[in-house]
Amino acid sequence: MFRDSVIEDYSDKHEIVALCDSNPHRLSEAAQAASVPGTNGVATYLAEDFDRLIAEQRPDTVVVATPDFLHSDYIVRAFEAGCDVICEKPLTIDLSRLKMIIDAQKRTGRQVKVTFNYRYSPARTQIRELIASGAIGTVTAVDFRWHLDRVHGADYFRRWHRQKENSGGLLVHKSTHHFDLLNWWLGTVPTQVFASGKRVFYRPETAIEFGLEDRGRRCADCPVAHKCDFELNMAEDAALKSLYLDAEAADGYYRDLCVFDKEIGIEDTMQAHIRYASGVTANYTLTAYSPWEGLEIKFQGTKGDITHRHVEVHGVFGGERAHADEDAITTELHLAGEQPRMLEVPKAKGHHGGADPVMLGYIFDPEGMEPDRFNRASDHVAGAWSILTGIAANASIETGSVVEIQAMLRARGIQLER
């Protein structure tokens, strides 16, 4: 996404000076895609040569799109080399890595933008505007449910995300989007979290229920893949074949591991009760095996409530969706003493409800965009607050106790300030 934006939409303002990857096959593919006809192409470096890349190419900004547990390493190294950073969500996955980033930012004064594209969706921005306008008075409570379907949700259980030491689990990797939206919508930060979580669907027992007792470790050589609804056949998908199947020999990374493996270390069913500094409370649920994909959220206020629902269809994953062919978004405003009203929801073209093109415009051509009165840009502080709910939720699941976020930060010597 970032590469193509620079070379196709913002080539008059930016230039890719180098590409870096741990896999030489993918690096070669990316370089071919990024090379402009008539030039000598784009410089390429393997991951172990990242510092040499910085020294030789002297970029202004580094885009970090590695697996989550590596974000902090590249952010800190980029900061110390005098570069700003654009980072995929989540900012990082745990407190020790967060402290590294916060300390490096204070030390160097460099900046990181965390790409929370959901903030830029016109529908999500409308919710922010309604709440800020006082349309439902003071917000008192929120019920937020996010549904990952058996196409998108399953994909987290066959890739590197399936181990918590890589991704922080879905409460960090995926929910960082959702917790950031809550922080941004409500204009506050979390103070206390109590959570529960378990893996109930992506387990060996489920495979047996589906008649898949003799399954293999991965789809490519699984003797029962032909009768498994979760089969990922990368050979039949040109993009997945190029990015992953053809790249396996270089590093042994398998993109199609069985979603029912015993060794999976993340939950697929999570709930959290969150208290905020403003006094708002929220109940949050995430499931990764829903029959549909999207979100449902209700804001309770002293004057009424807002109900927002979005059926999502996006992504490149194995499997076929049966529930929807295109996105559908509704927002209902119900004020006390009045009939509920369905609001007209603003729409835009592009992924994530039209969010991606808007976000990329503010990243790569801010002067060409109107001033952002919704403050959608996310720095290291916003990135930190977005993961702290998930980190606290993971700690609560592990201990069975309520987790106080400020106490958690003090114990690690982390201070969040701009």
Side-chain angles (χ1 to χ4, degrees):
M1 179 182 72
F2 297 112
R3 180 196 70 205
D4 292 350
S5 286
V6 171
I7 63 177
E8 294 174 7
D9 300 321
Y10 301 102
S11 60
D12 59 328
K13 300 180 183 301
H14 303 282
E15 178 187 4
I16 295 176
V17 296
L19 295 164
C20 183
D21 200 282
S22 61
N23 185 292
H25 173 84
R26 278 199 295 275
L27 184 59
S28 175
E29 292 281 310
Q32 184 176 354
S35 295
V36 178
T39 71
N40 291 326
V42 177
T44 58
Y45 296 78
L46 289 172
E48 57 265 30
D49 296 321
F50 176 74
D51 295 323
R52 183 164 64 85
L53 178 161
I54 298 292
E56 293 179 355
Q57 303 299 332
R58 302 178 64 82
D60 300 306
T61 303
V62 173
V63 177
V64 177
T66 65
D68 303 343
F69 72 100
L70 292 171
H71 286 183
S72 58
D73 180 45
Y74 287 102
I75 291 170
V76 170
R77 288 158 74 184
F79 279 176
E80 292 179 340
C83 304
D84 289 328
V85 175
I86 297 167
C87 184
E88 272 286 74
K89 62 81 192 167
L91 177 64
T92 188
I93 65 169
D94 57 31
L95 292 176
S96 60
R97 290 178 170 90
L98 176 59
K99 181 171 172 53
M100 289 171 55
I101 294 170
I102 298 300
D103 290 349
Q105 194 282 325
K106 290 179 181 177
R107 205 166 51 240
T108 64
R110 307 311 304 183
Q111 302 299 316
V112 57
K113 294 178 181 176
V114 185
T115 53
F116 287 122
N117 43 10
Y118 276 115
R119 286 190 178 201
Y120 294 85
S121 161
R124 250 57 101 192
T125 302
Q126 181 186 43
I127 298 296
R128 161 78 178 233
E129 195 165 23
L130 282 168
I131 292 172
S133 72
I136 58 170
T138 300
V139 177
T140 57
V142 182
D143 287 294
F144 194 177
R145 297 187 299 276
W146 203 287
H147 306 258
L148 292 169
D149 68 13
R150 300 183 182 200
V151 176
H152 187 183
D155 213 42
Y156 293 112
F157 293 83
R158 60 169 68 97
R159 296 186 280 164
W160 54 265
H161 310 72
R162 64 190 348 221
Q163 299 304 337
K164 197 165 282 189
E165 59 265 28
N166 293 336
S167 65
L170 291 178
L171 281 167
V172 173
H173 174 81
K174 181 62 180 175
S175 300
T176 183
H177 265 319
H178 317 152
F179 298 143
D180 175 69
L181 280 175
L182 285 170
N183 296 344
W184 178 64
W185 275 330
L186 300 171
T188 186
V189 294
T191 59
Q192 192 181 75
V193 180
F194 180 68
S196 63
K198 52 191 174 180
R199 180 162 55 102
V200 298
F201 186 79
Y202 297 104
R203 305 189 303 158
E205 292 85 348
T206 306
I208 293 172
E209 290 178 16
F210 290 161
L212 305 172
E213 295 91 342
D214 300 321
R215 68 190 184 283
R217 181 169 179 260
R218 57 177 304 203
C219 294
D221 54 18
C222 179
V224 295
H226 64 284
K227 62 176 183 177
C228 178
D229 291 339
F230 296 85
E231 179 190 10
L232 176 63
N233 190 333
M234 294 188 290
E236 293 183 351
D237 186 295
L240 293 177
K241 181 178 184 298
S242 174
L243 276 172
Y244 299 105
L245 188 61
D246 295 344
E248 288 178 357
D251 58 11
Y253 172 64
Y254 296 142
R255 174 69 171 73
D256 63 343
L257 294 175
C258 180
V259 300
F260 301 115
D261 278 353
K262 181 179 180 180
E263 68 183 36
I264 292 171
I266 63 173
E267 301 87 2
D268 58 21
T269 309
M270 295 137 281
Q271 293 181 298
H273 180 70
I274 311 159
R275 294 181 181 273
Y276 290 87
S278 66
V280 180
T281 56
N283 289 321
Y284 171 82
T285 299
L286 174 66
T287 53
Y289 48 90
S290 172
W292 67 286
E293 175 95 0
L295 69 96
E296 299 172 287
I297 187 165
K298 181 181 285 289
F299 298 89
Q300 302 284 353
T302 55
K303 295 181 180 179
D305 61 44
I306 297 168
T307 304
H308 179 65
R309 192 173 192 265
H310 183 182
V311 178
E312 288 194 323
V313 181
H314 72 275
V316 180
F317 317 104
E320 295 183 1
R321 287 185 164 103
H323 58 81
D325 295 321
E326 59 183 26
D327 283 23
I329 308 174
T330 58
T331 299
E332 179 188 87
L333 175 64
H334 191 181
L335 300 181
E338 300 181 10
Q339 292 296 313
R341 289 186 287 135
M342 300 303 296
L343 303 181
E344 182 177 351
V345 179
K347 297 180 180 179
K349 294 182 179 179
H351 289 301
H352 295 100
D356 289 4
V358 180
M359 179 189 71
L360 292 166
Y362 278 104
I363 289 175
F364 293 123
D365 186 20
E367 292 80 11
M369 306 290 286
E370 63 181 25
D372 187 6
R373 60 192 178 93
F374 301 108
N375 298 315
R376 287 171 290 194
S378 304
D379 61 7
H380 61 287
V381 176
W385 281 116
S386 74
I387 58 172
L388 284 169
T389 306
I391 290 172
N394 280 335
S396 181
I397 291 170
E398 186 174 344
T399 63
S401 303
V402 173
V403 174
E404 301 282 350
I405 291 181
Q406 283 297 340
M408 188 175 71
L409 291 174
R410 285 195 300 270
R412 293 301 187 104
I414 299 173
Q415 291 184 323
L416 293 178
E417 53 190 34
R418 287 187 173 84

